Amino acid sequence: MKKLLLLISGLCLFLLIGCNQDNDQSAPPQNDTQTDNQTAKPDLNNEELSVSFNDAIDEFKKKYADASITKIELDSDLKEWKYEITGVDDTTEYEAEINANTKELTNTGEEALDQDEKNTEKETNALDIDNVILPDKAIESVLNETEGEIDGWTLEIEDGRTIYEVTVRNGNKDIDYIVDAMNGELLGTDK
């Protein structure tokens, strides 16, 4: 009886292994390159954006005419590039996303400033947009020092200084390069 049970178990095991091999052979081979390309983040160096830095600011100002801009960011969500702009007046913070190819204004929002931010946020963090270098100049400063894909940039005031933070992707490593937004001088990195 034990021999019969062992024989049946062995036969079942043989059939299971055989069925498993057939399933593996019928599955289409995966192309790692195709998978990587579908999830790879775009490189700003290889993009032609229809909406310029100044166009994005104009769109924000149409919606929030009295707001002073405190931060501008250009980033990609793997499908499309978008500007994210934040601004304030004496009592409210405003946010908007602007599609960098269609100029469509989306994800707008308003939030009341905290009591300690009222009347001071605008004064301490408002960008002097008319006197900053364009983002292309900041990117050029970074690419004079390093190679890699440009993942995006942010313009804001940090520690009292107006800066661009340009994110460079080199393989799986992201490094943020800090550029003086008034003169294009490369100030260092923020790893």
Side-chain angles (χ1 to χ4, degrees), residues 4 35 49 69 72 80 97 119 127 141 146 158 163 175:
L4 182 59
T35 304
L49 304 179
I69 294 174
I72 304 173
E80 57 194 10
E97 287 183 3
N119 300 318
L127 296 168
S141 293
T146 189
E158 192 172 281
I163 61 157
I175 299 175

Side-chain angles (χ1 to χ4, degrees), residues 66-82:
D66 294 330
S68 294
I69 294 174
T70 56
K71 182 177 180 181
I72 304 173
E73 183 175 359
L74 180 65
D75 194 19
S76 167
D77 63 2
L78 299 181
K79 296 177 193 169
E80 57 194 10
W81 288 92
K82 62 186 176 209

Side-chain angles (χ1 to χ4, degrees), residues 53 70-72 127 129 132 153-156 162-164 181:
F53 173 78
T70 56
K71 182 177 180 181
I72 304 173
L127 296 168
I129 297 294
V132 297
W153 54 261
T154 303
L155 172 64
E156 63 187 332
T162 306
I163 61 157
Y164 278 99

Side-chain angles (χ1 to χ4, degrees), residues 46-119:
N46 299 325
E47 298 290 327
E48 288 291 329
L49 304 179
S50 301
V51 179
S52 72
F53 173 78
N54 289 322
D55 291 340
I57 291 169
D58 290 345
E59 287 303 306
F60 181 84
K61 287 299 215 173
K62 283 180 191 175
K63 177 81 174 167
Y64 304 114
D66 294 330
S68 294
I69 294 174
T70 56
K71 182 177 180 181
I72 304 173
E73 183 175 359
L74 180 65
D75 194 19
S76 167
D77 63 2
L78 299 181
K79 296 177 193 169
E80 57 194 10
W81 288 92
K82 62 186 176 209
Y83 292 94
E84 297 173 20
I85 301 179
T86 305
V88 296
D89 60 20
D90 291 334
T91 61
T92 308
E93 179 179 78
Y94 306 94
E95 293 182 355
E97 287 183 3
I98 298 149
N99 185 300
N101 286 307
T102 65
K103 223 189 256 191
E104 179 185 2
L105 189 73
T106 59
N107 295 331
T108 60
E110 300 177 16
E111 183 179 328
L113 292 172
D114 293 336
Q115 193 61 37
D116 62 328
E117 296 173 320
K118 288 183 179 182
N119 300 318

